[in-house]
Amino acid sequence: MRRLFIALAILPFTATAQTIDDCLQAAERNYPLIRKYDLIEKTTHLTVDNIQKGWLPQISASAQATLQSDVAAWPSEMKNMLSQMGVELEGLKKDQYRVGIDLQQPLYDGGTISSQKELARRQGEVEAAQNEVTLYGVRQRVNELFFGLLLINDQRTLNRNLQSTLRANEDKLASMFKHGTAAESDYLMVRAERLTAEQNGISLESQYAMMQQLLSIFCGITVDNPVRPSYSEAMKLHAEGVRPELKAIDAQLRLADAREKALNAAIMPKLSLFASGFYGYPGYNMFEDMMHRRFTLNGMVGLRMQWNIGALYTRKNDRQKIAMQRDGYQVQRDVFLFNNNLLSQQQTKELERYRQLMAGDDEIIGLRAKVRTAAESKLSHGIIATSDLIKEINNENNARVQKSIHEIEMLKQAYDLKITTNQ
């Protein structure tokens, strides 16, 4: 008994309720695309790190063996003169061999490495911004599921109330039929209507379970107690934030700036220190190798300047292309702002429409309830037909359903407006 009391005591504290904000946050955490942020960050870091290694010495090894059709040789006059003196010159062999290492150390690259790093970072920002745009669309889907679940839940409650009203009238007509004051057809008509309401209730329960499962899977949590937001909470507005779509356009503009800087770096001269060495035949001392056919070690060091002026040929066109890209992004911004402003105005009008509709809902329900009560009394006295009573019961239920629809739609429009304005 004591354990049961403790369990009942802690039950209210362990039960959880899910607000629309809880579901939005859970859905963003649960959506698989959220993992792409970490992948983009790591990929960008690795790319920048690889580009930075461009300042390290560039080392290459090579080996070659060649057979030439002709080689450098002594002039025939000198060869004959030396031959008379008893000196035989063999000259270079036509088969030659070399195994070597070349090293190049950049000293000045004209800003190429720096511009490539900037390009990699800006490209990472663009990918992250585009990922954020996709994730932002999750909020609209959560809104649809959450408020759809609330609407079905309201309809379940109203359906149960409808069944109770029909059952009460069914019991009353059964008693009247038993005492001979009502026809059997009247009793059967109300019973059939109640059974139809029960069938609708089964359908609503199935829809609710399906919608609840979808929302739970989407959010990654069990949404078993959705909390209906209050009117004041729904209408609470915060400072408007920058939509992810605009952030993505800004990222594209920064990428265009980085590309223009890369164009400037492409026309700058490059200066590097180089060293090369090889072991083979022939070496740098050509005359020595003509006299002694042997493998030797050879090497050289020096400074090298390279200036690719070919980049100047396309520079003007490349800058024009970047300028047109900027103009295109500005057009995208203007189109988005225009459509977004149009959508927010439409949602504001819809919000006002539902607010006006709600103003008369309670009065309509009150009137329908009075008419239904009067119809029940008239049926007891045999003044009206059973079909008229059923009609009034359905009219009252429809009025309550319409009120529920107006309230849920108004709340949904309010939260849709928050998404549109990023509040």
Side-chain angles (χ1 to χ4, degrees), residues 111-364:
T112 299
I113 292 177
S114 176
S115 63
Q116 288 177 348
K117 287 163 59 177
E118 182 71 8
L119 274 172
R121 293 192 187 98
R122 296 307 182 191
Q123 185 62 49
E125 290 179 2
V126 169
E127 292 181 12
Q130 291 173 343
N131 195 58
E132 185 179 354
V133 171
T134 305
L135 276 176
Y136 195 77
V138 171
R139 299 179 63 181
Q140 186 63 48
R141 297 175 67 180
V142 172
N143 266 14
E144 297 286 344
L145 291 172
F146 186 86
F147 288 105
L149 188 63
L150 289 180
L151 182 59
I152 295 176
N153 191 41
D154 276 8
Q155 291 181 0
R156 290 164 65 211
T157 302
L158 293 173
N159 179 266
R160 287 193 288 266
N161 294 338
L162 175 62
Q163 291 182 44
S164 298
T165 302
L166 289 170
R167 183 176 293 276
N169 283 278
E170 179 186 348
D171 293 342
K172 182 188 297 184
L173 283 169
S175 176
M176 293 172 63
F177 169 65
K178 184 178 179 180
H179 292 87
T181 57
E184 182 181 13
S185 59
D186 294 334
Y187 161 72
L188 295 177
M189 188 181 299
V190 175
R191 179 176 176 80
E193 194 69 22
R194 179 182 62 80
L195 292 175
T196 301
E198 286 183 357
Q199 288 182 334
N200 293 335
I202 293 172
S203 178
L204 288 171
E205 292 294 337
S206 177
Q207 292 179 39
Y208 182 83
M210 180 187 65
M211 188 76 73
Q212 185 183 44
Q213 183 180 20
L214 286 175
L215 184 58
S216 298
I217 293 173
F218 202 80
C219 296
I221 59 175
T222 301
V223 183
D224 53 3
N225 189 15
V227 178
R228 187 177 189 145
S230 64
Y231 177 78
S232 59
E233 182 181 357
M235 299 307 297
K236 188 184 297 181
L237 301 179
H238 306 283
E240 291 190 14
V242 179
R243 280 286 297 261
E245 292 85 350
L246 297 178
K247 292 181 181 179
I249 293 173
D250 290 338
Q252 293 281 10
L253 289 171
R254 290 192 294 270
L255 178 60
D257 293 339
R259 285 172 176 161
E260 189 166 21
K261 291 180 181 178
L263 290 179
N264 296 332
I267 63 173
M268 298 299 291
K270 277 72 174 174
L271 182 65
S272 62
L273 174 69
F274 73 92
S276 65
F278 70 91
Y279 177 73
Y281 171 84
Y284 290 143
N285 192 339
M286 188 72 67
F287 292 106
E288 181 69 20
D289 292 334
M290 287 182 178
M291 298 178 64
H292 306 287
R293 295 181 174 179
R294 60 190 179 189
F295 283 71
T296 57
L297 287 171
N298 303 269
M300 73 169 65
V301 295
L303 288 172
R304 179 182 292 122
M305 188 191 77
Q306 293 176 306
W307 194 357
N308 180 18
I309 61 174
L312 292 171
Y313 302 154
T314 60
R315 177 179 170 80
K316 181 179 179 181
N317 290 341
D318 290 338
R319 293 189 66 178
Q320 288 181 350
K321 286 170 60 178
I322 293 175
M324 287 188 288
Q325 287 177 354
R326 286 199 186 95
D327 293 341
Y329 298 142
Q330 291 294 347
V331 171
Q332 289 182 21
R333 182 195 297 277
D334 294 339
V335 170
F336 174 79
L337 290 174
F338 178 84
N339 291 334
N340 200 59
N341 182 58
L342 199 64
L343 179 59
S344 65
Q345 291 184 16
Q346 180 183 352
Q347 290 171 339
T348 301
K349 293 291 185 182
E350 284 293 296
L351 196 60
E352 180 62 28
R353 182 172 73 88
Y354 283 116
R355 188 184 292 111
Q356 292 176 0
L357 290 173
M358 285 176 58
D361 281 335
D362 288 332
E363 183 179 1
I364 293 173

